[in-house]
Amino acid sequence: MWKQFLTKLPKKSSASGKGDHGSGSSPGRNATGNGGTIQRTSSCPSAGPARPVSSVKRMSSAVFPSSVVAGIEPLVSFKDVPNGEKQNLFVSKVSLCCVVFDFSDPNKNSAEKDFKRQALVDLMEYVDSASSRFTETMVAACCRMFTINLFRVFPPNYRSGSSGGGEGEEEEPMFDPAWPHLHLVYDLLLKFIGSSSLDTKVGKKYFDHTFIVKLLELFDSEDPRERDCLKTILHRIYGKFMVHRPFIRKAVTNIFYHFVFETDRHNGIAELLEVFGSVISGFALPLKEEHKIFLWRVLIPLHKPKSVGLYLQQLTYCVTQFVEKEPKLASSVILGLLRYWPITNSQKEVMFLSEIEEVLEAANTVEFQKCMVPLFRRIAQCINSSHFQVAERALFMWNNDHIISLVAQNRQAIMPIVTPALEENIQNHWNVSVLNLTTNVKKMLSEMDEELFSACLAAHKEEEEMRALLKGKRRLAWELLESAAAFQPVTGNTAVLVNR
């Protein structure tokens, strides 16, 4: 395989190769001919300037065949060659970087790793300063190099501790030992895609759907540094190649579907949502039906997994972007959140209450009226929660001026729902902080409409009396049943008559 790869690199003539082994009398001959032959250099900044030529050959022979080491043109600096040869040197350096090393052992092939690192640095400097268009050969070579270096299958242990295992707690991340090398490749990919020298018409042929799918698969990496680079690169590809935008949205949607409805495990959901937050902010108005379907079928169900706490901030931003762009979506968003409301997970309840508040801030009165009854029934239940953090978060919502104005406009429907919950808290809740907050909210509602609040209190007291009466009747019925059973032992299927 090495021979097949290295035969594609530029080679010197046999006379030139012999001159390298001699006393140095042949450099003049190497410079003759068409004037474009690249001379070999005996130094590499990362390998150290003090290494002699023979040392470079000896250390590289395990990876690079001697026929290429004798004329190792890819290690020449771009400033040392004529402008006409820089593109050929670029391709040579890119081909050299297609060699993949094992970074689990830092002492293995250390010299060759240094050569490759220096080649990547040289390529980044060239891309930064490039003034002419990249040729199709250069683009194809780069795409191949990125594919070889970056696209890989993660071992099983990378997936065993992924984000679906807990209820939102952060696990200690795993760091890839090859990252010092990988980040250079990622930096080069980012610079290459963002360069004005890359023609979009040429680039889209090589950065195609297959490349994008493999790039998206890397978001499941355990290394947060890699996911952060991927996030920036995906956003750059989305902005550069408009023709690929529908495909990217569809591919990411499929990842979300797979996560929510099948595996419940993925490491890069937060990063993908962060990219989509920027994408959603750029949607034109009125919103397309495709984008609304993405909200209803993807973003709302993403509240279901236990690990929602790991990406809730990004998810909330995406949802609120939709509501801010089209406020009439607020009611459907709130009803969707109520459908996935956590019953036994108090931490998720606190998160949901926070998101509900953000959505309500962007909602108007018409949309609020469509969902206010089921919403405040749920808020009333949260106010009565025995978990003090849930009760506190529900009561803190009453500090929001916009929510108070919405409640004031619809107090006839909301006060009868909330007042009983407040009264029950004052009588039974164990937490002092919750009791103080409940008292403040009760006072606020009383000042909002004292007559209505008094009527709600009276209705609640009457309801409590009726409840106590029914409870007494049930207790009496059980006492009669127990008394009858004590005097008439039951055998077989004998029926017992209880008189009321």
Side-chain angles (χ1 to χ4, degrees):
M1 183 185 74
W2 280 107
K3 290 182 179 180
Q4 293 175 354
F5 152 64
L6 290 166
T7 53
K8 300 179 182 179
L9 297 177
K11 295 183 180 179
K12 290 194 175 184
S13 63
S14 58
S16 173
K18 291 177 183 178
D20 281 332
H21 290 277
S23 60
S25 60
S26 62
R29 185 175 179 179
N30 286 340
T32 61
N34 60 6
T37 304
I38 303 173
Q39 290 186 346
R40 177 190 174 222
T41 180
S42 61
S43 64
C44 176
S46 58
R51 274 184 188 149
V53 173
S54 60
S55 175
V56 174
K57 291 182 193 175
R58 184 170 59 254
M59 288 185 294
S60 304
S61 60
V63 178
F64 306 109
S66 58
S67 60
V68 177
V69 173
I72 194 162
E73 291 90 345
L75 297 182
V76 178
S77 175
F78 281 102
K79 63 183 179 181
D80 295 333
V81 299
N83 290 334
E85 283 297 326
K86 286 186 176 180
Q87 291 184 349
N88 292 334
L89 179 59
F90 182 90
V91 175
S92 296
K93 285 182 179 288
V94 169
S95 299
L96 184 71
C97 292
C98 289
V99 184
V100 179
F101 297 102
D102 179 13
F103 284 85
S104 60
D105 183 1
N107 297 320
K108 186 177 180 181
N109 300 119
S110 57
E112 288 80 6
K113 291 174 184 176
D114 285 343
F115 296 152
K116 183 175 179 180
R117 185 195 67 80
Q118 185 58 44
L120 288 168
V121 171
D122 291 344
L123 289 170
M124 282 191 283
E125 291 176 354
Y126 178 83
V127 171
D128 275 338
S129 60
S131 57
S132 58
R133 291 279 185 180
F134 297 141
T135 64
E136 189 164 347
T137 304
M138 296 168 70
V139 177
C142 278
C143 189
R144 177 174 175 272
M145 187 269 289
F146 296 138
T147 299
I148 291 173
N149 281 272
L150 299 178
F151 300 156
R152 62 208 188 278
V153 177
F154 299 117
N157 62 322
Y158 269 62
R159 301 177 186 273
S160 61
S162 54
S163 64
E167 295 187 355
E169 67 273 9
E170 290 271 4
E171 295 183 1
E172 188 171 344
M174 296 177 62
F175 296 107
D176 194 327
W179 178 249
H181 160 72
L182 285 174
H183 91 89
L184 292 174
V185 182
Y186 276 119
D187 287 348
L188 177 58
L189 174 57
L190 181 62
K191 290 177 182 292
F192 190 78
I193 292 175
S195 175
S196 57
S197 299
L198 176 61
D199 187 358
T200 305
K201 293 181 180 179
V202 176
K204 70 181 181 181
K205 292 168 55 179
Y206 296 95
F207 297 101
D208 55 4
H209 291 179
T210 302
F211 185 93
I212 291 169
V213 168
K214 291 184 176 295
L215 189 76
L216 290 173
E217 289 174 357
L218 295 177
F219 274 89
D220 203 17
S221 169
E222 280 282 342
D223 197 323
R225 302 168 299 182
E226 183 170 13
R227 299 199 302 269
D228 194 58
C229 281
L230 287 165
K231 173 185 66 179
T232 309
I233 290 168
L234 179 62
H235 190 272
R236 190 68 56 87
I237 290 175
Y238 190 90
K240 182 94 173 182
F241 305 109
M242 294 184 65
V243 68
H244 291 330
R245 288 183 179 182
F247 178 80
I248 292 174
R249 292 197 297 268
K250 183 177 179 181
V252 174
T253 297
N254 290 336
I255 292 175
F256 289 145
Y257 285 151
H258 189 64
F259 168 67
V260 173
F261 300 111
E262 296 183 27
T263 64
D264 202 28
R265 292 178 176 273
H266 198 282
N267 294 305
I269 299 299
E271 288 78 11
L272 289 170
L273 285 171
E274 191 169 341
V275 174
F276 259 71
S278 178
V279 170
I280 293 167
S281 65
F283 284 166
L285 294 177
L287 292 174
K288 296 180 180 178
E289 192 65 22
E290 169 202 348
H291 301 153
K292 296 178 184 179
I293 290 174
F294 177 78
L295 169 65
W296 296 323
R297 296 185 182 177
V298 178
L299 295 184
I300 299 300
L302 273 171
H303 292 81
K304 178 183 177 182
K306 292 181 180 179
S307 56
V308 65
L310 298 176
Y311 55 82
L312 183 71
Q313 181 180 353
Q314 295 84 357
L315 178 59
T316 301
Y317 179 77
C318 291
V319 171
T320 53
Q321 284 290 306
F322 271 105
V323 177
E324 288 175 3
K325 282 185 170 291
E326 202 161 306
K328 67 181 182 180
L329 294 173
S331 58
S332 60
V333 167
I334 291 173
L335 293 173
L337 290 175
L338 293 176
R339 187 168 66 249
Y340 290 102
W341 198 273
I343 303 300
T344 60
N345 190 328
S346 300
Q347 291 180 351
K348 283 183 69 174
E349 275 196 283
V350 173
M351 297 175 191
F352 273 50
L353 287 167
S354 299
E355 185 169 359
I356 286 284
E357 183 173 354
E358 291 197 37
V359 173
L360 286 176
E361 285 181 352
N364 55 37
T365 305
V366 175
E367 295 303 315
F368 177 75
Q369 289 173 346
K370 294 178 182 178
C371 61
M372 63 183 179
V373 173
L375 172 61
F376 276 88
R377 282 177 183 162
R378 175 58 65 183
I379 291 175
Q381 292 175 5
C382 292
I383 289 174
N384 290 144
S385 174
S386 58
H387 195 292
F388 77 97
Q389 290 179 334
V390 176
E392 276 185 344
R393 191 63 191 85
L395 291 165
F396 278 141
M397 293 179 68
W398 300 87
N399 293 331
N400 189 300
D401 293 336
H402 183 65
I403 294 177
I404 290 298
S405 68
L406 292 173
V407 170
Q409 296 172 43
N410 301 276
R411 57 185 179 275
Q412 297 290 341
I414 294 174
M415 272 197 189
I417 299 173
V418 176
T419 302
L422 298 174
E423 279 298 303
E424 189 173 339
N425 260 16
I426 290 175
Q427 294 173 14
N428 302 319
H429 208 284
W430 62 273
N431 186 270
V432 177
S433 176
V434 172
L435 289 174
N436 293 334
L437 290 170
T438 302
T439 304
N440 293 338
V441 174
K442 181 179 177 181
K443 181 180 178 183
M444 183 188 304
L445 293 179
S446 176
E447 293 173 353
M448 185 183 296
D449 192 330
E450 187 174 357
E451 183 179 349
L452 176 60
F453 186 74
S454 300
C456 292
L457 279 180
H460 172 64
K461 289 179 181 178
E462 184 179 346
E463 206 174 302
E464 284 291 306
E465 292 172 358
M466 288 294 297
R467 193 178 292 121
L469 182 61
L470 291 174
K471 186 177 179 180
K473 287 183 177 180
R474 283 197 301 271
R475 186 174 63 252
L476 181 59
W478 278 107
E479 289 174 357
L480 291 172
L481 182 61
E482 291 172 357
S483 177
F487 290 103
Q488 184 178 350
V490 179
T491 57
N493 295 324
T494 305
V496 178
L497 178 63
V498 179
N499 297 320
R500 295 193 177 186

